[in-house]
Amino acid sequence: MSDPKPLAGRRVLLGVTGGIAAYKTAELVRLLKKAGALVQVLMTREATRFVTPLTLGTLSEREVLVDLVPDAPNGSWTRHVHLGRWGELLVVAPLTANTMAKLAHGHCDSMLTAVYLSAACPVLVCPAMDHDMFEHPATQENLALLVRHGVHVMPPEEGELASGLVGKGRLPDPAAIFERIARMLGAAAPEDRSLAGRHVLVTAGPTVEDLDPVRFLSNRSTGTMGFAVAAEAARRGARVTLVTGPTSLETPAGVDRVDIRSADDLERAVRSVPDADLVVAAAAVADYAPVESSDRKLKKADDDLMLRLRRTPDVLAGLGASKRAGQVLVGFALETHDGLENARAKLERKNLDYIVLNDPNETGAGFGPDTNRVTLLSREGGREDFPVLPKAAVASLLLDRVSAPR
Ligand SMILES: Cc1cc2nc3c(=O)[nH]c(=O)nc-3n(C[C@H](O)[C@H](O)[C@H](O)COP(=O)(O)O)c2cc1C
């Protein structure tokens, strides 16, 4: 079995600068902490406009340092020198063109740039910016200078950039940066097989209720959250069945996918997988479907059209009613008001073990965005509020919690 804490006690300084990819650092911090590392985050002032010190401070369990001179100097102003000696590795991810220029030319106007100049340890930088900024001779010369100064560089990847352009400039995935860090610290990246031998059923995406061959009732679910859970469960070694409504997402590696359209289809599909050890029901299931669905296109008339809708089967309640001993059932609640009370009531009414609450009106949460902010409620009365995180990181934290022995 691989070591679950390959970086136990290793001291990592993590610099974060003001690029759009700064949000990915949250996942990197989580991976480092999970591997046992001590992580000191250093942010530029601009970086705090992209991701909050609260998020990175919570995940790293340490105060995030920004300014070189603290607001209330208390004798700790030489901290940069101590930190430069404390770290076994300084990683700057993402590295903006601006801070790259500063590092290359020895500027010292923030805790990050000061620690860089004082660092006695190896330095790894991960530049990320728009393609044209990266290719500019000024940036390339600064990067070459850093390499001459002995800095290790993880080059940006080709792909779609936040600007909408396609080219070289993307920050590599946090998992890839983590692996590079682990290698530089002489440790093998941990392979998490904690769900090996377990069967995980995930439902995802919207359901679609047809009115006629061209019209339907549906919702805004993109399936991203459920797909992230399925991907993470498969990475941890589980056999994963993903039952999904229509979405444009690609099937994650190692996942068995079952495509459905309506709430009735979904109910049939989950009933055919009774043996799952863990069920994560993230699909946004229609509560109502048209009583009649026409196989011919409805013709327009001069009068208003009345639609009669019927209740669809309550898939989650059905799963709760047929839950077998040892099975863990996790539901999702998307609530726009009275979220906590509604979610707790749903958890009890439907015989769930956990419920994941999110509010689509909150910035960075709900349908669509690549991030989510959720609260996890447990049957035993527990409550945990997570900060805004990439959905992959949310999936990972949720699986940590719901698959832990109870
Ligand atoms: C929305 C937005 C996204 C940005 N993304 C990047 C980026 O990915 N890379 C980069 O080098 N600069 C980017 N910038 C520009 C930097 O934020 C700007 O140069 C800033 O001064 C960097 O400060 P810092 O290096 O001290 O963190 C972006 C600016 C904005 C407004």
Side-chain angles (χ1 to χ4, degrees):
M1 237 180 86
S2 63
D3 179 2
K5 299 251 182 232
L7 299 184
R10 306 302 296 270
R11 301 180 304 275
V12 178
L13 294 159
L14 179 58
V16 185
T17 67
I20 199 75
Y23 77 94
K24 292 190 185 175
T25 315
E27 172 67 353
L28 179 58
V29 174
R30 203 192 63 77
L31 291 170
L32 288 166
K33 287 291 293 177
K34 198 166 173 207
L38 307 173
V39 183
Q40 175 61 61
V41 176
L42 313 163
M43 297 177 85
T44 61
R45 195 40 64 205
E46 286 301 306
T48 65
R49 285 146 65 95
F50 289 81
V51 59
T52 66
L54 177 65
T55 296
L56 298 186
T58 305
L59 291 170
S60 65
E61 298 177 287
R62 267 170 194 264
E63 182 198 353
V64 168
L65 303 176
V66 178
D67 296 314
L68 186 51
V69 181
D71 281 345
N74 56 8
S76 61
W77 56 273
T78 55
R79 225 175 341 178
H80 59 283
V81 179
H82 299 299
L83 283 171
R85 290 174 181 272
W86 175 85
E88 294 177 72
L89 180 67
L90 166 62
V91 184
V92 189
L95 174 64
T96 52
N98 180 52
T99 297
M100 184 195 290
K102 289 185 183 179
L103 299 186
H105 295 279
H107 291 229
C108 181
D109 60 355
S110 66
M111 189 55 101
L112 170 56
T113 49
V115 169
Y116 170 76
L117 287 179
S118 321
C121 59
V123 179
L124 171 69
V125 297
C126 307
M129 63 201 69
D130 222 45
H131 177 74
D132 298 334
M133 286 172 79
F134 186 67
E135 293 301 341
H136 194 282
T139 307
Q140 289 300 315
E141 278 170 25
N142 287 334
L143 194 57
L145 258 182
L146 287 181
V147 172
R148 269 206 355 242
H149 297 166
V151 170
H152 300 259
V153 179
M154 197 160 174
E157 292 179 349
E158 298 263 350
E160 200 177 315
L161 303 170
S163 59
L165 300 174
V166 175
K168 197 167 184 184
R170 267 166 70 106
L171 187 72
D173 274 346
I177 302 174
F178 173 81
E179 274 174 33
R180 179 75 182 261
I181 293 172
R183 270 209 312 279
M184 285 184 78
L185 289 172
E191 199 192 4
D192 182 347
R193 308 292 295 169
S194 54
L195 293 180
R198 312 271 292 276
H199 186 184
V200 177
L201 168 64
V202 181
T203 71
T207 59
V208 174
E209 310 298 336
D210 290 317
L211 284 163
D212 70 16
V214 293
R215 303 181 182 96
F216 55 79
L217 301 176
S218 189
N219 59 62
R220 295 180 203 274
S221 170
T222 56
T224 325
M225 192 63 243
F227 274 59
V229 171
E232 182 61 20
R235 208 182 56 74
R236 295 181 187 200
R239 173 157 79 90
V240 181
T241 306
L242 171 64
V243 180
T244 177
T247 141
S248 54
L249 299 173
E250 275 182 32
T251 312
V255 166
D256 296 327
R257 171 171 176 164
V258 178
D259 285 296
I260 54 96
R261 187 166 174 83
S262 66
D264 291 330
D265 299 341
L266 179 70
E267 200 214 13
R268 274 191 295 276
V270 301
R271 263 203 273 124
S272 70
V273 189
D275 64 333
D277 302 294
L278 169 65
V279 181
V280 180
V285 189
D287 293 325
Y288 295 94
V291 171
E292 283 167 34
S293 156
S294 167
D295 53 11
R296 304 178 68 175
K297 186 175 171 223
L298 298 171
K299 290 304 285 179
K300 174 167 63 185
D302 289 335
D303 297 341
D304 291 343
L305 172 69
M306 294 293 284
L307 278 181
R308 270 203 70 206
L309 302 178
R310 66 175 166 87
R311 275 288 286 126
T312 51
D314 189 331
V315 180
L316 193 54
L319 284 164
S322 61
K323 191 167 67 173
R324 51 178 185 75
Q327 190 179 52
V328 174
L329 178 55
V330 185
F332 275 68
L334 190 79
E335 303 282 350
T336 53
H337 59 277
D338 302 329
L340 280 171
E341 295 95 282
N342 288 338
R344 180 131 334 259
K346 183 169 172 182
L347 182 145
E348 275 158 31
R349 200 171 62 245
K350 302 197 179 184
N351 194 25
L352 312 181
D353 298 289
Y354 294 93
I355 194 154
V356 184
L357 168 66
N358 56 25
D359 178 346
N361 296 328
E362 266 188 48
T363 314
F367 292 145
D370 284 341
T371 57
N372 208 353
R373 203 208 64 69
V374 304
T375 297
L376 180 67
L377 302 177
S378 74
R379 189 190 188 82
E380 291 79 18
R383 167 180 171 178
E384 199 171 355
D385 295 295
F386 296 111
V388 175
L389 291 170
K391 282 186 173 167
V394 175
S396 200
L397 284 166
L398 290 180
L399 282 179
D400 286 349
R401 302 299 186 272
V402 305
S403 61
R406 310 164 77 210

